[in-house]
Amino acid sequence: MFKRVVFLACLVTCCSAQVPCHAGFFGSKGQACRECPHNTYKDYIGFASSCKPCPVNSGHNLLGSHIFSDCKCLKGYSGDPMQDIPCTIRLCDPFAPPINGSLVGVCKSEYNSVCRIKCNEGYELQGGSAHAEKKCIVNKNNHMEWTEGLIYCSGKIKVM
């Protein structure tokens, strides 16, 4: 009885690569089937050398995904892959420098963009820093905003 169980286990293990891979798994004939990695899926039973990737700027953290609907827009992107609407980067409102200050370099309003601010000559940033930064983020309510903190430039006090 014990020998028969071992033989059947070996038969299933040795020959499983001849059976087409389930949805969510990939492999070629003669190879073991493996789970689809993160950001991919396979929605049919059969052999495949790889799983299909999620559309650009979308993905998921699942292993063995077997449905396209697992692909969702990444944080900071909007769209709907299921409706064939591409995931595009989200924007914050344009950032305006403080009075008596200016932007250093390019300041984009795209998700994860950083804007650098400096004060005009004769003024200094709150706290005496030389430069300040604001970053475009998604807040806990899924709204786009610049990182918190008031930035202002105040006049330097000259001691005579």
Side-chain angles (χ1 to χ4, degrees), residues 24-46:
F25 289 79
F26 72 100
S28 300
K29 199 170 190 176
Q31 296 180 339
C33 296
R34 294 176 290 175
E35 286 182 306
C36 290
H38 302 287
N39 305 315
T40 67
Y41 67 98
K42 183 173 149 271
D43 54 4
Y44 61 92
I45 296 172

Side-chain angles (χ1 to χ4, degrees), residues 98-152:
I99 296 172
N100 299 314
S102 62
L103 297 171
V104 178
V106 176
C107 177
K108 294 183 179 181
S109 297
E110 296 175 346
Y111 171 68
N112 263 345
S113 291
V114 175
C115 293
R116 291 173 178 75
I117 301 103
K118 70 175 184 173
C119 291
N120 299 339
E121 192 172 328
Y123 295 87
E124 65 182 7
L125 285 165
Q126 169 192 356
S129 299
H131 297 282
E133 294 183 344
K134 289 284 194 173
K135 186 175 185 178
C136 179
I137 62 167
V138 179
N139 69 19
K140 63 182 178 182
N141 297 320
N142 200 31
H143 295 108
M144 302 304 293
E145 70 179 15
W146 293 100
T147 48
E148 294 181 28
L150 180 64
I151 295 176
Y152 64 89

Side-chain angles (χ1 to χ4, degrees), residues 7-24:
F7 173 73
L8 287 175
C10 182
L11 182 63
V12 169
T13 303
C14 297
C15 302
S16 64
Q18 302 306 315
V19 177
C21 297
H22 291 286

